[in-house]
Amino acid sequence: MVLRDGSLMVAGGLLLGVPMAIQGRSIAGALIRDLSVPSLAPIAAGSAAIVIVVMLACYLPARRAARIDPMEALRHE
């Protein structure tokens, strides 16, 4: 459940962010003379890094929470 929520958030961010980054790249190339517009590799690498960080940030607490016995957690409350 935690991984699904995290992946939905990162997917939404990437769906909005990647097209904006591509458009911003072409706008920056048009505004600044002698600016070479690089390939899509930096955008893809940044997106992959974000996905990896989000999945680790979601997986580690979810794994820790899964180790706890539900009855023990309820008794502690």
Side-chain angles (χ1 to χ4, degrees):
M1 182 174 73
V2 175
L3 288 172
R4 183 187 69 224
D5 289 346
S7 60
L8 285 175
M9 282 191 276
V10 77
L14 288 176
L15 283 174
L16 294 173
V18 169
M20 289 175 28
I22 292 170
Q23 186 65 27
R25 180 180 62 115
S26 62
I27 290 172
L31 292 176
I32 302 171
R33 242 183 330 155
D34 298 330
L35 178 69
S36 65
V37 180
S39 67
L40 295 175
I43 296 172
S47 298
I50 289 172
V51 169
I52 290 169
V53 168
V54 167
M55 288 298 116
L56 279 175
C58 291
Y59 173 72
L60 295 176
R63 184 184 63 164
R64 184 175 172 201
R67 289 184 181 174
I68 298 173
D69 181 34
M71 290 306 292
E72 189 174 320
L74 289 173
R75 280 190 211 121
H76 183 68
E77 290 289 322

